[in-house]
Amino acid sequence: IGKNDNIGVMLRNCNQFIEVFFAASAIGARPFNINYRYKEEELAYVLRDSDAALLVIDASLGVSHQDQRLAERILFLDGAMGTMIQRYQPTEADYRGDRFRSHHIDLKNAGDVLVLTQPKMIAEIHRQYLAAGADIIETDSFNANLISMEEFGLAEFTREINVTAARLARSVCDEFASTTPNKPRFVAGSIGPTKVMLSFNADKPGYRPVDFDRMVASYSEQIRGLIEGGVDLLLPETSFDTLNMKACLFAIEDVFT
């Protein structure tokens, strides 16, 4: 590895994980992708040769940290994102921002795209929840899956939206954790039910707009983005169809295997 190179690899096995990082050490470079909850002194061990460093973080560090907090007290989850967004009364121009100014489909009410076009607004909402005492905040990614994003012509941005949403929430959590290190905050990756149902269609009982495999693929793209962005947990939520939820859980398992 050259002195300006860095590579991050995550390996997961069942309910435990180890994160392996390669970082250039010739100029004393720090590992580039260590989650905020780890401190350098907590690294299990460091192996160095003349040109590069291999750092392995003990699998128990992140899991035990959250388990310890849950054993001590109830952790508070934040509230709804959508209603908080509406308090700002964003216009079509706000949703579009500069990046999607000429987009061919109206984007109003595409709340997830705001992490790209109005990140300050979303960060402010996260801060309000944390200031109110939330221990866990959800990413602004409820509808950020391939199927739902197709409605707005934004499917190609699905992964980017999820990565950005997770990193934005992570940065605000880190901001608060830096002032109260004894009270870490956690990021939950919000995964909504999509806009379709797999198990039932009242209008056409024999018709399904998507099949199970496509639903899994849609969820998988979202899940990979949330993980890349640094969430602490995944939160499939507001389910109205158990088959949709099954596809989501299947996708989570598949991503981690």
Side-chain angles (χ1 to χ4, degrees):
I1 302 176
K3 67 179 182 179
N4 295 318
D5 296 334
N6 51 45
I7 303 173
V9 181
M10 180 178 291
L11 306 174
R12 293 181 181 266
N13 180 18
C14 298
N15 293 323
Q16 294 186 324
F17 65 89
I18 51 176
E19 297 181 12
V20 182
F21 298 96
F22 290 89
S25 64
I27 57 172
R30 292 167 56 87
F32 77 102
N33 192 27
I34 288 186
N35 195 292
Y36 83 98
R37 63 180 179 266
Y38 301 118
K39 300 178 181 178
E40 287 189 3
E41 59 267 22
E42 292 176 329
L43 295 176
Y45 46 86
V46 179
L47 302 178
R48 293 181 181 273
D49 59 28
S50 59
D51 191 38
L54 167 62
L55 293 86
V56 182
I57 298 177
D58 185 84
S60 65
L61 294 177
V63 176
S64 63
H65 203 140
Q66 296 178 50
D67 287 349
Q68 179 183 353
R69 297 298 171 183
L70 287 168
E72 294 171 352
R73 63 181 178 84
I74 295 172
L75 298 183
F76 288 95
L77 184 67
D78 66 359
M81 174 61 72
T83 50
M84 291 292 282
I85 289 174
Q86 292 307 313
R87 292 175 63 181
Y88 289 82
Q89 299 183 330
T91 64
E92 175 68 23
D94 292 328
Y95 281 96
R96 288 174 175 269
D98 293 332
R99 182 169 181 180
F100 299 106
R101 187 181 301 279
S102 301
H103 194 65
H104 63 290
I105 298 176
D106 288 348
L107 297 181
K108 191 171 184 179
N109 297 324
D112 312 276
V113 78
L114 291 173
V115 300
L116 301 180
T117 60
Q118 303 296 331
K120 291 182 179 179
M121 178 195 298
I122 303 305
E124 186 174 310
I125 292 172
H126 288 322
R127 289 191 186 95
Q128 291 177 53
Y129 277 124
L130 290 172
D135 299 288
I136 305 169
I137 58 172
E138 300 173 68
T139 54
D140 180 23
S141 58
F142 183 82
N143 286 312
N145 56 77
L146 288 173
I147 291 172
S148 296
M149 288 292 99
E150 286 174 355
E151 178 182 356
F152 298 100
L154 297 173
E156 64 185 292
F157 302 100
T158 298
R159 184 153 183 166
E160 181 186 358
I161 289 172
N162 282 281
V163 171
T164 305
R167 287 177 177 169
L168 187 60
R170 169 92 284 139
S171 66
V172 178
C173 278
D174 290 353
E175 176 187 314
F176 273 73
S178 66
T179 59
T180 55
N182 62 329
K183 184 184 179 182
R185 275 75 167 189
F186 305 102
V187 177
S190 175
I191 305 174
T194 79
K195 63 173 186 172
V196 300
M197 298 177 64
L198 284 177
S199 64
F200 180 71
N201 188 318
D203 299 323
K204 298 179 180 180
Y207 171 76
R208 300 292 181 273
V210 299
D211 59 22
F212 186 85
D213 288 342
R214 187 181 170 197
M215 183 70 76
V216 170
S218 177
Y219 278 129
S220 295
E221 183 74 356
Q222 179 176 24
I223 291 162
R224 291 189 183 96
L226 291 171
I227 294 171
E228 181 181 341
V231 299
D232 296 296
L233 60 142
L234 297 169
L235 184 63
E237 58 171 319
T238 323
S239 176
F240 53 76
D241 187 326
T242 55
L243 195 54
N244 282 35
M245 179 58 73
K246 181 178 180 179
C248 182
L249 297 178
F250 184 91
I252 291 173
E253 183 178 8
D254 185 61
V255 167
F256 281 100
T257 56

